[in-house]
Amino acid sequence: MRTRITVPDDSLTRLRIALTVFFALDGFVFAGWVVRIPAIKEQTGASASALGLALLGVSAGAVITMMLTGRLCRRYGTHRVTVVCAVLLSLSVALPPLTHSAVALGAVLLIFGAAYGSINVAFNSAAVDLVGALRRPIMPSFHAAFSLGGMLGAGLGGLVAGALSPTRHLFGLTVIGLLVTAVAGRTLLRIPAPTPSQDVPRQTSAPRRPGSRTRGLVVTFGLIALCTAYGEGALADWSALHLEHDLDATPGVAAVGYSCFALAMTIGRLTGTRLLERLGQTRTLVGGGATAALGMLLGALAPSVWAALLGFMITGLGLANLFPVAVERAGRLAGPDGVAIASTLGYGGMLLGPPAIGFMADWFSLPAALTSVAALAATAAVIALLTRRAAG
């Protein structure tokens, strides 16, 4: 029999707070880097195409290391790996403003992307263990913390952009990140990873690799994550352009488009636990995918700006809990390896969305291209419905 670690309830509460802080820190640091991209582009003298290739370093670094992180979590534990990755993330965010060419920028972004992808696998795996121990569907609350951290990081970045150079700003993020990691990491390292109650099957830390059937289910949930992340990436890059060029919105109003989507997604995740407790995971996935599909059809095809903004908000509410639930279910089936597989597929969807929309916009039109977000959201709902018995 496997030795079972029992963690007191107050320790579980402290563990939940510590993990929430790490999710928020991840969003805060990443958003802080994103808002300084224009300034760093000017500093490096990179063309638009060269910058685009350099930015792929973030994605490449993340995808390359996600599967490796799953193995490290199984060997060293999710809490240790989370703390180490938080340190690396905080240190690496200071590197981009030190570069003076697109090639050097791409190289340091590989490091930053590796840290970003690794910490996502590590703290999602730790969160899956905590969800199993608490026996409550609290996964969306962690992703809400990520969204709130991102909004705070972007807002702070916008405020200091005119006063601080990218070097000072991002070094400040390094200092903040290390201080937060020192405080929250101390709690995380002191509390062992919890295990579910005896009447709940233990799946999150299985030492064996997942079998073919289990791996197939994990990939299925990864596809749901991909469909969700595709929409997030597409709206981040194309929503403002759609509002400005297709609906004649002013640049200021066009910029509000993604903010409406992100705010609605945050609200959806903050209420996600209650929604999951009331509807269950399958109904939440099916209902969320269907809602997002209808919202995106409105956002893409509406004849007015305000109707499109409403569509973006409905889309955000629908997509909000799909990624957290998909990752949690993959982790429950196959532990850190499951989280790594689902996260890698999800991140692939975020990479696929923007260029796919661009190609389809050239072939057809941007509104028509944006309907692909609705199609994939509906696909996620269908996948969840068809696999409900196997997943159970």
Side-chain angles (χ1 to χ4, degrees):
M1 294 180 62
R2 191 178 302 142
T3 301
R4 187 169 68 89
I5 299 173
T6 302
V7 182
D9 288 343
D10 62 330
S11 294
L12 293 180
T13 300
R14 289 189 288 117
L15 178 57
R16 181 177 180 180
I17 293 172
L19 285 175
T20 300
V21 169
F22 277 110
F23 272 85
L25 177 65
D26 186 43
F28 178 79
V29 170
F30 190 79
W33 141 248
V34 167
V35 299
R36 300 317 297 256
I37 289 176
I40 293 175
K41 175 183 182 298
E42 183 177 352
Q43 175 182 303
T44 59
S47 64
S49 58
L51 177 66
L53 290 174
L55 292 177
L56 284 176
V58 178
S59 307
V63 170
I64 289 170
T65 56
M66 278 180 167
M67 294 303 301
L68 173 62
T69 306
R71 299 188 186 98
L72 292 175
C73 287
R74 283 190 288 109
R75 182 168 183 177
Y76 299 106
T78 57
H79 293 184
R80 289 182 182 179
V81 177
T82 296
V83 173
V84 171
C85 290
V87 172
L88 293 176
L89 181 72
S90 300
L91 292 174
S92 61
V93 75
L95 297 178
L98 303 180
T99 61
H100 297 281
S101 70
V103 174
L105 178 62
V108 301
L109 289 181
L110 275 171
I111 301 172
F112 179 67
Y116 177 72
S118 296
I119 194 173
N120 272 270
V121 172
F123 59 38
N124 271 296
S125 298
V128 168
D129 285 335
L130 183 57
V131 168
L134 292 175
R135 301 180 66 184
R136 288 193 66 210
I138 61 170
M139 198 69 167
S141 68
F142 293 119
H143 288 259
F146 173 85
S147 299
L148 289 171
M151 294 173 67
L152 180 60
L156 179 63
L159 289 175
V160 305
L164 296 179
S165 66
T167 301
R168 291 183 176 181
H169 175 202
L170 297 187
F171 179 74
L173 295 186
T174 294
V175 174
I176 293 172
L178 292 176
L179 289 174
V180 171
T181 299
V183 175
R186 188 178 180 183
T187 300
L188 204 60
L189 292 176
R190 285 184 172 184
I191 302 175
T195 57
S197 303
Q198 287 181 326
D199 57 340
V200 179
R202 174 65 175 159
Q203 293 173 304
T204 57
S205 298
R208 295 182 299 174
R209 295 179 181 274
S212 58
R213 181 178 181 276
T214 299
R215 185 175 292 273
L217 282 173
V218 168
V219 170
T220 298
F221 292 126
L223 291 176
I224 293 175
L226 184 152
C227 293
T228 304
Y230 176 97
E232 291 187 53
L235 282 166
D237 284 15
W238 292 101
S239 59
L241 192 65
H242 168 57
L243 293 173
E244 189 171 346
H245 287 194
D246 297 320
L247 300 176
D248 298 322
T250 64
V253 173
V256 172
Y258 183 71
S259 298
C260 289
F261 170 79
L263 178 61
M265 178 169 280
T266 302
I267 293 171
R269 286 174 170 173
L270 286 172
T271 58
T273 296
R274 183 172 297 179
L275 187 68
L276 284 164
E277 288 176 334
R278 178 168 295 184
L279 299 180
Q281 291 184 333
T282 298
R283 289 181 180 178
T284 298
L285 289 174
V286 174
T291 299
L294 293 174
M296 199 59 227
L297 286 176
L298 176 62
L301 304 177
S304 70
V305 171
W306 303 113
L309 291 176
L310 176 62
F312 291 162
M313 293 189 72
I314 295 173
T315 303
L317 288 173
L319 292 181
N321 296 305
L322 269 64
F323 190 94
V325 171
V327 170
E328 191 270 327
R329 295 187 82 169
R332 189 151 46 86
L333 284 166
D337 284 342
V339 173
I341 292 170
S343 298
T344 301
L345 286 170
Y347 208 82
M350 191 169 287
L351 296 179
L352 176 65
I357 295 292
F359 282 118
M360 286 187 284
D362 285 339
W363 296 334
F364 308 106
S365 67
L366 183 53
L370 287 172
T371 61
S372 64
V373 175
L376 284 184
T379 300
V382 171
I383 292 173
L385 185 63
L386 294 178
T387 60
R388 63 190 184 280
R389 292 184 179 177

